[in-house]
Amino acid sequence: MPEMPEVETVKRGLNAQVKGRKIMHVEIRYQNLITGDVEQFIEFVTGSTITDVGRRAKFLLIHLDNGYTIISHLRMEGRYRVSADPAAIDKHSHAIFTLDNGQKMIYNDVRKFGRMQLWPTDDLQNNKSIQKLGPEPLSSEFTFKNLKPRIMRHRKDIKTVLLDQSVMSGLGNIYVDEVLWKVKIHPETPANHLTDENIQAIIEASNEEMKMGIESGGSTVRSYVDATGHTGHMQDRLKVYGKEGTPCPRCGTEIKKIKVGGRGTHFCPYCQVVQ
DNA sequence: GTCATTGTTGCAGG
DNA sequence: CCCTGCAACAATGA
């Protein structure tokens, strides 16, 4: 399931494969994929050239030369493939962009949870989804000064707060569990109980996990593949996510799985203490 | 048929 | 009005 490192991996793959290409034809097979008017989406995208592919948190930003950007969120299982092979298109291919070199950029999504939206490039900061995003790891805004007040004003459990994209953005369920294990904080700790040291540790661990995720090419916990079809290997580096019943790599205690804020949550009941 | 899975949104209730 | 918790949503597989 794509989180920030996976989206970054897709971004890099698409830049290598479709940057500078003109979009000759657009086919939308699943109408709900598009937020807004589908006909207008097709009309505006057809004939434009992809100038660059960017990213903000988990949003992929496909910039076009006509002043518009396709904001694409992969949700659980959205993927992009670039291929000239007709076999790359199947019943889960919901958007097909035919490029000027004969290749097709195919958006594939088994669960149909992902969404695309067209938005003026110079107005992205005012887009409803982008606007409220908090600082993301590895950015200049991801500082103790910025994060402390955002985290401390909540009394709900820290796991839920870290998942809230308006507090800080980019971390999803997998990496939040990994970060909290790394800093030895129990996922149900009230956010406003954290110490300065805790927050600093969360910031550092988040940067480290995102960096490692990107270097590993993302994780393939369910079905993730990058734009070239290659699988990442971040899943091999996970310490607690999906590891319930196995020994904690640090102390040997059995990893437990509970529900926090309605989400499956993996942690070590010995290492990770409630603050 | 039921449940779990995801990120996001919207709403009920305190 | 603010905050929190929770249901709903999309589709699928166990």
Side-chain angles (χ1 to χ4, degrees):
Chain A
M1 44 215 93
E3 295 190 25
M4 196 181 115
E6 288 75 18
V7 180
E8 176 67 20
T9 303
V10 173
K11 184 197 93 175
R12 293 179 184 185
L14 288 180
N15 269 324
Q17 294 182 91
V18 304
K19 189 173 183 171
R21 298 259 72 95
K22 186 176 179 180
I23 299 170
M24 309 305 286
H25 186 259
V26 181
E27 182 183 353
I28 305 298
R29 295 184 170 189
Y30 177 61
Q31 304 294 302
N32 289 342
L33 170 65
I34 309 298
T35 299
D37 190 281
V38 179
E39 293 310 314
Q40 196 176 36
F41 180 94
I42 294 170
E43 181 189 330
F44 276 63
V45 173
T46 303
S48 70
T49 295
I50 299 170
T51 55
D52 191 28
V53 182
R55 179 186 62 74
R56 174 69 176 94
K58 301 175 209 170
F59 290 90
L60 199 62
L61 304 172
I62 303 173
H63 301 300
L64 308 175
D65 69 346
N66 62 0
Y68 282 83
T69 290
I70 299 171
I71 304 173
S72 172
H73 199 300
L74 306 175
R75 287 287 188 104
M76 275 184 77
E77 303 205 43
R79 313 174 198 178
Y80 281 92
R81 293 291 301 275
V82 179
S83 173
D85 182 359
I89 298 174
D90 63 21
K91 65 174 180 174
H92 301 303
S93 303
H94 307 308
I96 301 162
F97 304 83
T98 304
L99 307 175
D100 60 353
N101 60 353
Q103 298 241 309
K104 291 178 193 295
M105 179 173 78
I106 304 156
Y107 177 74
N108 195 294
D109 190 345
V110 170
R111 298 204 192 268
K112 298 184 176 176
F113 291 0
R115 292 292 180 266
M116 287 184 201
Q117 183 177 16
L118 203 56
W119 201 264
T121 306
D122 61 11
D123 192 46
L124 283 175
Q125 289 313 311
N126 294 319
N127 176 269
K128 193 163 171 269
S129 297
I130 306 283
Q131 192 174 41
K132 59 172 194 177
L133 292 173
E136 65 175 69
L138 306 179
S139 74
S140 57
E141 289 77 34
F142 201 69
T143 61
F144 178 81
K145 185 170 175 286
N146 286 339
L147 271 301
K148 183 182 176 183
R150 289 173 165 274
I151 292 172
M152 295 295 281
R153 79 178 128 95
H154 297 279
R155 76 183 102 182
K156 51 187 172 181
D157 53 79
I158 185 62
K159 158 129 184 180
T160 303
V161 170
L162 295 184
L163 274 178
D164 184 342
Q165 302 295 298
S166 70
V167 174
M168 58 185 246
S169 60
L171 293 197
N173 204 32
I174 300 172
Y175 289 103
V176 167
D177 283 2
E178 294 296 313
V179 165
L180 290 177
W181 177 82
K182 198 166 197 173
V183 299
K184 302 181 181 177
I185 296 173
H186 193 289
E188 289 176 307
T189 302
N192 58 356
H193 286 194
L194 296 184
T195 63
D196 285 1
E197 289 70 28
N198 289 154
I199 290 172
Q200 188 58 43
I202 287 171
I203 290 170
E204 286 168 16
S206 299
N207 281 331
E208 288 164 11
E209 286 296 314
M210 291 299 101
K211 200 175 166 196
M212 189 166 80
I214 292 167
E215 286 169 358
S216 302
S219 52
T220 311
V221 167
R222 264 177 201 269
S223 58
Y224 174 77
V225 292
D226 71 13
T228 58
H230 295 139
T231 57
H233 51 275
M234 181 62 196
Q235 67 277 9
D236 302 330
R237 299 179 137 180
L238 299 179
K239 300 293 198 296
V240 287
Y241 188 87
K243 305 290 188 185
E244 61 270 29
T246 69
C248 168
R250 200 163 40 207
C251 75
T253 303
E254 190 175 296
I255 299 296
K256 293 295 181 199
K257 182 177 182 182
I258 59 172
K259 276 221 186 297
V260 178
R263 296 299 174 210
T265 300
H266 314 74
F267 74 109
C268 171
Y270 181 78
C271 290
Q272 295 175 251
V273 292
V274 179
Q275 308 282 316

